[in-house]
Amino acid sequence: MGLLQSLFGGGQTADLKAIIGQGAYLVDVREPGEFAGGTVKGAVNIPLAAVASQLDKFKGKKNIIVFCRSGNRSGQAKTILEQNGFTNVINGGTWENVNRFIS
């Protein structure tokens, strides 16, 4: 279960509202067409395939929340970011899950 929690951000959903309220960097890692079909207010679109080449966009962010359609791609994005030295990354799971915490 620990592996699944680390991949899908389990156990952290209670903190999402507070972290979002503190101005977290919200990143939708789905493809542009999916993003255009609906996303979280204030989110930026950095598709999973582009995360590693756009690391500069993540620098200096206090908290980063990544999300997608199912939580799979955001789990991969979290891993990529952590492998590049980012320690403040949360996998928010689905965009609908993250959207529940937006006021």
Side-chain angles (χ1 to χ4, degrees):
M1 184 67 173
L3 175 62
L4 288 176
Q5 283 186 328
S6 67
L7 286 175
F8 296 107
Q12 296 183 0
T13 53
D15 301 324
L16 278 179
K17 186 169 183 68
I19 293 168
I20 290 168
Q22 295 169 7
Y25 188 51
L26 303 172
V27 183
D28 188 328
V29 298
R30 297 176 299 155
E31 293 300 312
E34 295 173 283
F35 180 81
T39 191
V40 175
K41 181 180 177 184
V44 297
N45 183 215
I46 303 175
L48 175 61
V51 168
S53 66
Q54 296 191 30
L55 295 174
D56 284 348
K57 292 184 178 180
F58 297 92
K59 291 183 178 168
K61 307 298 185 202
K62 181 178 176 185
N63 289 299
I64 300 164
I65 300 175
V66 290
F67 52 90
C68 60
R69 181 182 52 82
S70 69
N72 185 5
R73 286 176 280 182
S74 54
Q76 294 174 58
K78 180 180 190 288
T79 299
I80 291 166
L81 291 167
E82 289 176 340
Q83 288 172 343
N84 284 280
F86 294 90
T87 58
N88 55 342
V89 184
I90 297 168
N91 179 358
T94 68
W95 74 268
E96 292 98 338
N97 178 59
V98 174
N99 204 38
R100 294 182 311 147
F101 299 101
I102 301 295
S103 353

